[in-house]
Amino acid sequence: MSTKLLFENIDEPGLHTLDVYRRRGGYAMAEQALAMARDSLVTALKDSGLRGRGGAGFPMGLKASFIPQGKMDKYLVCNADESEPGTFKDRELMQKNPHSLIEGMIIAAYAVGANKAFIFIRGEYVQQAEILEAAIAEAKQAGLLGPNVLGRGVDLDMWVHRGAGAYICGEETGLLDALEGRRGNPRLKPPFPANQGLYQGPTLINNVETLTAIPYILRIGAEAYAGLGVEKSSGTKLISVSGNVKRPGNYEIELGMTGRDIIYGLAGGIEDDREVLLWFPGGSSSPVLTKDDLDTVYAYDELAAAGTMLGSGAIIVVDDRHSVVDVAVKTASFYKHESCGKCTPCREGTSWTTKLLQRIQIGEATPMDLDVISSVCDQIMGNCLCVLGDAMAMPVASMVTKFRPQFEQHLERARSENEARLLAELQTTEPVLLGAGALASQH
Amino acid sequence: MSIRRDPPGPADRDLARRTALAEAAGATLDFLDDPASYELQVTRFDHGSRVPGFREATDPTKDPAQVPDPAQVDVPADLRAEIEDYMSRYPDHKSAAIPALAAAQRLHGWCSPVAVEQVACVMRLTPGYLTAVATFYDMLETTPVGRKTVYVCTNISCSLRGADAVLARLREELGHDPDVNLRGFECLGACDIAPMASIDGVYVGPIDDEDIAVLAGQIREGADPLPAKQLVRRRVADSAANTDEVSRQSADAGTLDPVDLSGGQA
């Protein structure tokens, strides 16, 4: 059985209240951290090997160490705009254990010297935002937030900022623009948010799961945390399994299990005991894997070696009742809808890929269009300010490459069906125009 | 108010065709012509809508709208207080744009020109700036819609489990109800309860065939939607996360098992 940290007894009644959280030893780590030197906290975070849990997997301690020292206004932003299709781990954490996130944010804010913190939560999470707001109010009441946190002379102001429904606001610079009250268009990097982020000040942005993990790392010690999982993918990770599995939901695992262990072990296997057609290992933005890849080790570097990525840890399983064409159309049209329109390759590329895929779906394309899709995807990748375009191009290109025979079969079948239908229509329709010859022949 | 119109284009023909189809299917669109069915009466443009169409010619001789004059705009006191509270939270008051527009939408039902003007007046921004923000985000409505919000997730995980059929069935039930804003939505972050819907922010799922009529009735009456299938009541799927003792306490507190949706142990 793998170690549980973040999910340990998460359904304890009343855990979202300060009383119960305190009874479980909550905020003790915040007190301990505030007594430590900032450098040693950042070093502890580096030693733990914690990698950003939002999708990019960037080492958290390293990111914190990029925040410049000095007496300028610095900000901490929690990215709770969990919009990656298939991902729903942060929702569970915020709803059931909001104080753990607040404690992690107190520690992170202290480590980088930020005195203003925002939780950017997606607007759809209405109930979760209310729970968080109540938890923050409780913490403020108890002197854990606000001026002079825990009597240590540190100020920390924290607010929940609700978004209004845009996938792009999960991208860190898009999120900053949305938080500044603008359209959520990503910015050119560099400068990175660590130097010039929110209101042009140094800003540390981390995912909910990353920040929630901090108190647990301090509790068990950075070395013990680094000892969990496998090398370079240390610690526990929350994974969200969804799609055609028997037990969809969130699971906490130590990285290093295989895909088969997760899908057939934790999630109980495929509904109606079907076969896996394909699976997304890290949200809908990750290149797909097939049933031959089920034994791939589920960890950052191992998945990268298999040509895909761990991303946000969202596994979507598609069984063999479904057509890969439909999955590709769904994926592409999502990114088409969510593209902010700032960069041309993404705006036009997602739109044209969707159109081409829809033509394949209804049988109005040729196999050559598959090559056009691959070429369009190639031209999107790496050519935009953010990775939204890449996030469409990678899974779609991988589907077209790995399932080319299925695409061609579908195309042939749909085309012949169309032809048969048109032919049948022609035969049942009365002749509309009778030519002079036809009239002549009747006499 | 009269404005010059472009000649009818493909979009107009499309609208005419869809209206004819909807009428042939027995839909009543009378509520569009009945101003009494709206709480607020706003001046209408020639084409019947309360918002200028994006194809409408603008008057190039007119100056763009400025920051509204506080003496000219009547802002409800509650709304003003709420927006000012949001503005006080940020180092730059512009940050409050999204929460302020959302607050105005709660009051007016949508980000109507009046709502945008009120927000602009309090925040000292131009209506154009706020309209640009409102048109970017999916949850800010820039056309009149029903007050009850129903989002049905139609993204990958949900559609693998029949979300498109759920949306179609709900459309049949609620599509003609002017009070309901029913939309297919991108991933709502609840793939564990697929297929699911969000009713005014309350997540319910998995929605079966037999649930749909019940759910539609509850939405119409404004009742608590499918209380036995609400996301907030579910325990975590990871069976090793809770000790048996905690699971039992949690079940006693009324939470549901994620596998069989019952209150008891799996």
Side-chain angles (χ1 to χ4, degrees), chain B residues 8 21-22 29 31 46 65 67 75 93 121 123 131 134 146 174 177 188 191 213 223 230 237 239 251 259 266:
Chain B
L21 277 177
L29 296 169
F31 66 89
D46 283 354
V67 176
V75 186
H93 74 280
C121 177
M123 292 190 67
T131 309
L174 297 166
D177 191 336
L188 288 162
C191 318
Q230 290 186 5
S239 53
V259 177

Side-chain angles (χ1 to χ4, degrees), chain A residues 4 9-11 91 96 116 122 124 161 164-165 179 181-183 199 242-243 245 252 271 330 334 337, chain B residues 89-90 95 129 132 135 137-139 154-155 157 161 185-187 189 192 234 236 238 241-243 250:
Chain A
K4 304 288 168 200
N9 286 334
I10 194 164
D11 281 308
R91 185 206 72 209
K96 295 180 175 168
K116 196 102 183 157
R122 62 183 303 194
E124 292 88 338
H161 182 98
L179 192 47
R182 293 202 289 269
R183 296 163 69 91
Y199 313 119
S242 65
V245 289
E252 181 167 14
E271 286 177 310
K330 269 279 179 219
F334 167 72
H337 177 252
Chain B
R89 298 179 182 182
Y90 306 93
S95 283
Y129 177 90
T135 49
Y137 297 99
D138 280 352
M139 293 173 72
T154 52
N155 215 296
S157 291
R161 290 172 154 253
F185 216 77
E186 298 302 354
C187 188
D192 45 348
R234 282 166 76 101
V236 68
D238 193 340
N242 297 310
T243 58
S250 182

Side-chain angles (χ1 to χ4, degrees), chain A residues 351-364:
Chain A
S351 165
W352 277 104
T353 309
T354 310
K355 280 182 197 164
L356 284 164
L357 284 168
Q358 281 167 342
R359 279 182 205 166
I360 291 171
Q361 195 178 27
I362 57 172
E364 289 184 0

Side-chain angles (χ1 to χ4, degrees), chain A residues 324-397:
Chain A
V324 64
V325 182
D326 297 342
V327 177
V329 170
K330 269 279 179 219
T331 314
S333 45
F334 167 72
Y335 291 99
K336 175 196 164 205
H337 177 252
E338 298 295 344
S339 175
C340 79
K342 190 170 182 176
C343 314
T344 313
C346 169
R347 183 185 64 237
E348 300 299 319
T350 51
S351 165
W352 277 104
T353 309
T354 310
K355 280 182 197 164
L356 284 164
L357 284 168
Q358 281 167 342
R359 279 182 205 166
I360 291 171
Q361 195 178 27
I362 57 172
E364 289 184 0
T366 63
M368 208 180 76
D369 287 326
L370 290 169
D371 298 323
V372 178
I373 292 177
S374 297
S375 140
V376 169
C377 288
D378 259 2
Q379 291 169 64
I380 298 173
M381 277 191 253
N383 289 332
C384 305
L385 291 186
C386 81
V387 292
L388 189 142
D390 303 39
M392 183 219 67
M394 289 188 297
V396 169

